[in-house]
């Protein structure tokens, strides 16, 4: 078991915090993963609390790693690498089966074997393998994973940390993270992340406060062996502010009651350093530059002391409690002390030590694994102002980060290369590539990091440099072959970034790239496949078919099975959904699956399964689509991939009206769906299910969870569209119809529209928008009627632009026509037609809407008796499928039309004073003394709409106020007047 070192003094003042951590460990041991965020100022005792936890907890294993001050400059996943290496050494002896089949972990732990070829999903697979390793290594007695100094965490470490917190589930793992709060400036990434994580039920936030005066006295007594004089205690407490590290430094000064006490934290920390002799001070200086851990060999190479004096100098530093020994490494007692020593060095001294560190590391003195070495060398070369060597080392560090799927750190190193490029005359020779190649790599790293806008900027800069800004004017035969290949790859990268950023310009770049790319290039099959996918996505089907066939031919000619499977998947979905050729599409998808299985590409295999399930569902083969989705779930479990196929299962169950089952599996999926984008999608899907079941408050909670899992200010447009669609649904349910329309209009008209050309999502927007217009017209929204008319026309135009092929599309088109018909007779005709199609398609949620449209249109045509006769049928249908939101709609419609929800039909009545059925309902409730808000809640309409109804009925009754209206209601036998406010 790996243990955190103890400082050797009495543990003071942290009993409650330690108890919380130990209770979390016990919960983890019992089978419920927990996480603790330990936050406090520097020196407040976070490491000491973790040390005591390590000694006292009953978990079977404890592993630990610390973040590095140079985190954002490289060394991705640094604390996890340190911790996992400890774990790998342990399980190799006791649980060797845990390490069988790992593919991506060798990127972090090279001793596990060779690294396989790069894959687009390697980062996700890496995270999953880390999760699985922790889950299995935690059996049977639990595992504690300690990550210290998260304020220095690199981007990839933060991503992995969030992933684990969200997905450990029932694993017997206790995750403990310490973070220095006084380092969290306003824009620090942990500043937003901490409160988001602390809201999760499995996470506890422990804020370490300074010690009180009594606790300071206890700590001082433990250090000195006797109690401080009251006046000295007052002075120590005042100067230290209760910070344990500062208390220790003050009390160790000697006689606390005489002489001047240090005024600053730096003076406190440097006091013992100043007392060292020259050689010991030189060794400490060298250690402060070397990094958070320094080997004896490294210190011997860089410290300016004779070899025979090194050991005695180190002993002096250890005796003075400045350095301590951890295994074969020397570390500072506290990170603050290292920082203070380094800050005191003269500029020239600091530069010489950094240069010496880089030289020694290149000669193998640092005991660092090969995949961690480049970033460390890059840091030292840059700090030493050795710009040529810094450029070379930064390039190597970028490649190491790419190999570890640490794309943010790769981008950081590439930006360093670009920064140094103008200052290094032989930059091309040093990295073996022109600057345009670096810009292409930076564009890819930015896009892979979730920032496609920066990817576009990098690729555009590279294109401008290669073409002099006249790319559009160049012909392919005017460009040398080498430059042509570079330009084509930059265009491909920019096209991909445009697509990820939701911009329509992707197609132009991809076409230009193919035009310029030399004919024999091995990149042509994949580039052609990318263009085919984009054209299908944009529904430019004539070109798409031609380009897809070309991509298939190129892939088969070159033996590129992966690209062939990718094209067949896109074509299969296109034929099965857009063309309505189900059997043709399924045959293509079968061939794609066979290729993926033969090539051992499980991620591609699952993509094929998703497309197959969607094709089946869009062709009314709902049960087969559900079976396919379940098969994908089981396959994902076999190969230890993300549980995202469960989203297909949940979607299918929802469509089939099995909303209770859908919610059951959605709650379970929260533990198995691992990636942020799919967790965000799951939250949005759970919101829709809650809405279907009539629970608006729960729907709001799930949508908020989705936004936390995938913050919309950093999400790609496709996920912005996803959540905006759900938001519009909930706004409509809350009666905020104009706001709901604005949300949908933003999807139809904004930049997201370019990314959201998928036919299914487009139909979703049309369906939701049509129902919104239908409700708004019947509620007689008083604001901007011309806007509602324009909205209707936009929806009709969009619906007409989509080819209606296949049974599901036919049902969607019919429901849209029913919703957008202004004539009740047309609404009735289309609703009955749509109802038949919805029943055939096996989608009760669609059928419920049409049942209500039919009832509503019948009443609006004046046949209230026939409309009343439909009520029991609709009620029975809605109760069968637990469609609570449509039952609320039925209640509102019946109240507006003067129908009864009871089984026996009501007697149609003449409306007095020309009041509409809805105005009569409002008047009855007004006569009972209800406020507008209460009337709205009773009738499931917005208070603003109630106000409009009240104004109208006051005018029709020719009365001045609510009290007079209540009296009039009594005269008309519509209610008994009550005191009104």
């Amino acid at each position: 078991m790996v243990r955190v070192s103890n400082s050797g003094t009495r543990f003071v003042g942290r009993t409650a915090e330690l108890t919380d951590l130990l209770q979390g460990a016990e919960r983890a041991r019992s089978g419920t993963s927990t996480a603790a965020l330990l936050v406090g100022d520097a020196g407040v005792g976070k490491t000491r609390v973790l040390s005591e936890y390590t000694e006292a907890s009953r978990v079977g294993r404890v592993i630990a790693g610390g973040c590095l001050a140079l985190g954002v400059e490289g060394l991705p996943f640094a604390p996890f690498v340190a911790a996992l290496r400890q774990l790998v050494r342990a399980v190799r002896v006791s649980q060797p089966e845990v390490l069988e089949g790992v593919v991506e972990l060798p990127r972090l732990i090279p001793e596990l074997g060779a690294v396989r070829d790069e894959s687009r999903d390697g980062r996700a697979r890496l995270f999953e393998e880390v999760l699985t390793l922790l889950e299995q290594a935690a059996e049977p007695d639990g595992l504690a994973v300690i990550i210290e100094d998260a304020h220095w965490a690199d981007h990839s470490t933060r991503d992995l940390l969030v992933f684990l917190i969200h997905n450990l589930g029932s694993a017997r793992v206790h995750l403990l993270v310490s973070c220095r709060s006084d380092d969290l400036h306003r824009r620090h990434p942990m500043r937003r992340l901490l409160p988001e994580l602390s809201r999760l039920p499995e996470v506890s936030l422990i804020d370490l406060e300074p010690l009180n005066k009594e606790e300071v006295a206890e700590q001082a007594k433990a250090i000195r062996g006797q109690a401080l004089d009251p006046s000295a205690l007052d002075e120590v407490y005042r100067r230290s502010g209760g910070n344990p590290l500062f208390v220790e430094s003050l009390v160790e000064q000697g006689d606390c009651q005489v002489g001047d006490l240090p005024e600053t934290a730096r003076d406190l920390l440097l006091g013992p350093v100043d007392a060292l002799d020259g050689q010991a001070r030189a060794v400490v200086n060298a250690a402060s530059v070397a990094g958070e851990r320094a080997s004896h060999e490294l210190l011997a190479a860089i410290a300016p002391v004779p070899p025979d004096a090194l050991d005695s100098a180190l002993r002096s530093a250890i005796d003075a409690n400045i350095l301590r020994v951890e295994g074969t490494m020397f570390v500072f007692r506290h990170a603050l002390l290292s920082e203070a020593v380094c800050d005191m060095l003269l500029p020239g001294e600091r530069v010489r030590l950094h240069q010496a560190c880089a030289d020694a590391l290149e000669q193998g003195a640092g005991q660092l694994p090969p995949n961690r070495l480049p970033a460390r060398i890059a840091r030292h070369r840059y700090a030493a102002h050795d710009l040529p060597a810094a450029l070379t080392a930064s390039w190597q560090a970028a490649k190491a980060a790419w190999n570890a799927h640490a794309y943010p750190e790769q981008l950081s190193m590439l930006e360093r290369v670009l920064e140094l490029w103008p200052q290094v005359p032989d930059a091309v020779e040093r990295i073996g590539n022109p600057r345009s190649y670096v810009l292409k790599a930076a564009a890819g790293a930015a896009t892979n990091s979730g920032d496609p806008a920066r990817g576009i900027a990098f690729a555009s800069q590279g294109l401008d440099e290669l073409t002099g800004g006249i790319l559009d004017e160049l012909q392919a035969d005017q460009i040398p072959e080498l430059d042509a290949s570079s330009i084509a790859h930059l265009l491909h990268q920019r096209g991909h970034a445009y697509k990820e950023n939701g911009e329509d310009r992707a197609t132009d770049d991809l076409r230009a790239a193919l035009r310029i790319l030399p004919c024999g290039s091995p990149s042509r099959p994949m580039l052609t496949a990318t263009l085919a996918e984009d054209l299908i996505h944009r529904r430019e089907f004539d070109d798409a078919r031609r380009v897809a066939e070309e991509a298939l031919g190129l892939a088969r000619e070159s033996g590129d099975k992966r690209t062939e499977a990718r094209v067949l998947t896109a074509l299969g979905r296109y034929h099965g959904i857009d063309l309505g050729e189900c059997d043709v599409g399924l045959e293509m998808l079968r061939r794609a699956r066979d290729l993926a299985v033969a090539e051992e590409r499980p991620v591609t295999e699952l993509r094929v399964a998703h497309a197959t399930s969607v094709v089946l569902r869009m062709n009314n083969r709902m049960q087969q689509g559900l079976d396919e989705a379940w098969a994908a779930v089981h396959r994902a479990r076999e190969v230890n991939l993300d549980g995202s196929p469960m989203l297909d299962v949940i979607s299918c169950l929802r469509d089939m009206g099995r909303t209770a089952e859908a919610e059951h599996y959605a709650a379970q999926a929260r533990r198995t769906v691992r990636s942020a984008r799919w967790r965000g999608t799951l939250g949005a899907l759970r919101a829709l299910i809650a809405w279907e079941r009539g629970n608006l408050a729960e729907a709001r909670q799930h949508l908020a969870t989705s936004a936390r899992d995938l913050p919309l200010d950093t999400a790609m447009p496709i996920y912005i569209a996803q959540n905006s669609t759900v938001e519009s649904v909930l706004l409509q349910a809350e009666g905020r119809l104009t706001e709901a329309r604005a949300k949908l209009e933003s999807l139809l008209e904004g930049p997201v529209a370019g990314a959201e050309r998928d036919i299914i999502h487009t139909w979703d927007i049309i369906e939701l928008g049509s129902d919104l217009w239908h409700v708004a017209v019947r509620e007689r929204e008083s604001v901007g009627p011309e806007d509602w008319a324009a909205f209707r026309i936009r929806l009709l135009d969009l619906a007409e632009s989509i080819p209606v092929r296949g049974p599901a599309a036919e049902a969607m088109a019919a429901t849209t026509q029913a919703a957008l018909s202004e004539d009740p007779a047309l609404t009735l005709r289309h609703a009955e037609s749509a109802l038949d199609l919805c029943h055939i398609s096996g989608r009760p949620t669609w059928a419920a809407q049409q049942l209500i449209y039919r009832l509503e249109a019948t009443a609006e045509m004046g046949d209230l008796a026939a409309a009343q006769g439909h009520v029991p049928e609709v009620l029975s249908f809605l109760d069968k499928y637990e469609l609570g939101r449509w039952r609320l709609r039925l209640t509102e419609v019946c109240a507006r039309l003067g129908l009864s929800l009871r089984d026996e039909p009501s007697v149609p009545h003449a409306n007095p004073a020309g009041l509409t059925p809805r105005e009569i309902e409002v008047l009855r409730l007004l006569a009972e003394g209800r406020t507008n808000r209460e009337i709205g809640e009773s009738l499931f309409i917005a208070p603003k709409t109630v106000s409009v109804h009240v104004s109208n009925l006051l005018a029709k009754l020719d009365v001045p106020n609510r009290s007079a209206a209540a009296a009039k209601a009594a005269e008309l036998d519509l209610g008994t007047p009550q005191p009104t406010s």
Side-chain angles (χ1 to χ4, degrees), residues 410-621:
Q410 178 198 6
L411 178 60
S412 177
M413 286 288 98
L414 291 172
E415 288 176 327
R416 173 66 55 76
V417 172
L418 293 170
E419 171 197 340
L420 296 174
W421 195 277
Q423 306 172 67
V424 180
D426 60 342
V428 174
E429 292 75 14
R430 284 184 169 273
I431 70 169
N433 288 287
R435 190 170 185 271
S436 61
Y437 187 88
V438 182
L439 287 165
K440 181 181 81 71
T447 305
N448 289 334
S449 300
D451 192 354
R454 289 180 76 195
I456 293 168
F458 281 123
S460 296
Q461 185 179 353
L463 289 167
D464 287 344
E465 291 186 5
L466 282 175
T467 66
I470 57 169
L471 174 63
D472 295 338
E473 303 171 23
L474 294 175
Q475 300 297 318
D477 56 6
Q478 296 177 309
I479 307 173
E481 183 170 332
L482 184 60
D483 284 349
S485 181
S486 298
I487 292 170
H489 285 117
L490 277 165
L491 284 167
H492 188 184
Q493 190 63 64
R494 191 172 71 175
H496 174 58
Y498 274 140
K499 184 179 177 183
E500 292 295 303
N501 206 44
E503 299 187 42
D504 284 335
R505 289 179 281 183
T507 307
D508 292 339
D509 273 0
L510 295 173
R511 287 187 187 279
L514 277 174
R515 187 178 69 250
I516 294 171
L517 188 70
C519 292
S521 171
S523 300
R524 183 167 287 275
M526 181 60 74
L527 177 51
T528 309
T530 303
L531 176 59
E533 290 175 331
D534 180 66
L535 291 170
I536 291 173
H537 196 58
R538 293 165 57 86
R539 300 201 297 280
E540 296 182 12
F541 297 132
D542 291 339
D543 280 352
R545 280 194 295 266
R546 177 184 57 78
V547 175
E549 290 298 328
E550 181 184 350
L552 273 179
L554 290 169
R556 288 166 178 165
E557 182 181 340
S558 63
D560 187 349
K561 304 294 186 184
R562 180 183 177 192
T563 297
E564 183 179 355
R566 178 175 167 181
V567 177
L568 285 170
T569 302
L571 282 173
R573 183 178 174 119
Y574 159 58
H575 279 274
I577 297 176
D578 296 284
L579 294 183
E581 299 173 351
C582 180
D583 291 338
V584 174
L586 290 175
E587 173 59 22
M588 290 180 169
L589 290 168
R590 183 195 63 75
R591 287 154 52 196
R593 188 199 305 271
D594 290 345
L595 287 169
V597 171
E599 291 291 301
E600 297 183 351
R601 296 278 184 179
V603 173
T604 303
E605 187 181 342
L606 292 177
R607 286 200 184 108
V608 176
H610 166 71
T612 304
S613 176
V614 174
V615 167
L616 288 166
R617 287 150 52 193
M618 289 297 290
N619 285 276
N620 293 350
R621 293 158 69 168

Side-chain angles (χ1 to χ4, degrees), residues 27 116 164 167 172 246 341 348 369 377 383-384 396 489 499 539 562 639 670 717 761 888 951:
R27 288 195 296 274
R116 77 168 195 173
L164 292 175
N167 293 287
R172 303 179 192 274
F246 299 162
V341 172
I377 294 173
Q396 295 298 323
H489 285 117
K499 184 179 177 183
R539 300 201 297 280
R562 180 183 177 192
V639 295
R670 179 78 184 162
H761 187 269
L888 292 175
S951 297

Side-chain angles (χ1 to χ4, degrees), residues 923 926-927 953-954 957 959-970:
L923 179 57
L926 183 152
L953 68 86
L954 290 178
L957 295 174
V959 293
N961 52 44
R962 297 167 72 95
S963 297
K968 191 71 172 180

Side-chain angles (χ1 to χ4, degrees), residues 221 359 400 432 497 508 513 532 556 573 615 621 676 712 781 811 891 932:
K221 182 177 180 181
D359 292 340
D508 292 339
R556 288 166 178 165
R573 183 178 174 119
V615 167
R621 293 158 69 168
L712 297 185
E781 279 283 310
T891 301
N932 283 3

Side-chain angles (χ1 to χ4, degrees), residues 178-397:
S178 71
C179 183
R180 190 191 292 178
S181 56
D182 51 342
D183 266 14
L184 303 186
H185 54 77
R186 187 170 59 88
R187 295 185 178 180
H188 195 290
M190 289 297 292
R191 191 178 183 92
R192 186 180 71 174
L193 183 59
L194 284 174
E196 289 178 358
L197 293 177
S198 66
R199 285 193 290 266
L200 298 175
E202 61 268 33
V203 178
S204 61
L205 178 64
I206 299 176
D207 196 347
L208 286 184
E209 300 289 343
L211 301 178
N212 60 35
K213 189 173 181 179
E214 291 72 23
E215 291 164 343
V216 169
E218 185 179 352
Q219 180 189 5
K221 182 177 180 181
I223 295 171
R224 297 287 291 271
Q226 61 183 16
L228 287 179
D229 178 89
S231 60
L233 175 61
D234 289 342
E235 194 70 1
V236 169
Y237 181 63
R238 182 180 70 83
R239 296 285 177 85
S240 70
N243 184 295
L245 177 66
F246 299 162
V247 171
E248 183 178 343
S249 297
L250 281 167
V251 173
E252 288 178 345
Q253 293 293 318
D255 188 353
C256 297
Q257 301 180 62
V258 299
D260 293 332
L261 288 171
E263 288 293 340
T264 68
R266 173 175 294 176
D267 293 337
L268 288 173
L269 293 168
L270 291 177
V273 177
D274 292 338
L276 295 174
D277 62 35
Q279 291 183 334
R281 177 65 184 267
V283 170
V284 170
N285 290 346
S288 74
V289 172
E292 83 293 351
R293 301 164 68 82
S295 66
H296 188 283
E297 185 181 10
L298 180 61
L299 290 176
I302 66 173
V305 298
D308 56 356
L310 178 62
D311 287 342
S312 61
L314 284 169
R315 173 59 59 190
S316 297
I318 293 169
D319 290 343
N321 199 24
I322 297 168
L323 298 179
R324 53 190 173 91
V325 179
E326 284 189 2
T328 61
M329 296 289 182
F330 295 94
V331 301
F332 276 87
R333 167 173 59 101
H334 195 283
L336 277 177
L337 181 53
S338 174
E339 294 171 30
V341 172
C342 191
D343 287 345
M344 291 299 293
L345 296 176
L346 295 173
E349 186 179 12
R350 190 181 300 117
V351 166
R352 286 192 298 273
L353 285 171
H354 277 297
Q355 191 74 35
C357 277
D359 292 340
L361 289 172
E362 287 181 345
Q363 295 167 14
Q367 298 183 16
L368 289 172
N371 61 335
R372 321 301 290 176
L373 190 59
R376 189 66 64 85
I377 294 173
R379 177 217 175 195
H380 288 302
R381 292 296 186 200
Y382 187 76
H385 309 310
D386 185 352
L387 303 188
L391 181 139
T392 304
S394 297
W395 177 249
Q396 295 298 323

Side-chain angles (χ1 to χ4, degrees), residues 884-944:
R885 66 119 166 173
W886 291 112
R887 208 181 198 286
L888 292 175
R889 173 74 71 82
L890 178 65
T891 301
E892 188 277 332
V893 167
C894 287
R896 176 167 53 81
L897 297 173
L899 302 175
S900 172
L901 278 175
R902 294 174 294 177
D903 289 342
E904 67 274 8
S906 63
V907 179
H909 53 272
N911 294 344
L915 298 180
T916 67
R918 170 45 58 88
E919 288 165 355
I920 290 174
E921 286 294 330
V922 172
L923 179 57
R924 285 180 174 140
L925 294 170
L926 183 152
E928 293 176 7
R930 306 279 190 95
T931 65
N932 283 3
R933 182 181 60 79
E934 292 168 340
I935 294 172
E937 290 175 351
S938 178
L939 299 180
F940 304 100
I941 59 178
K944 182 188 70 176

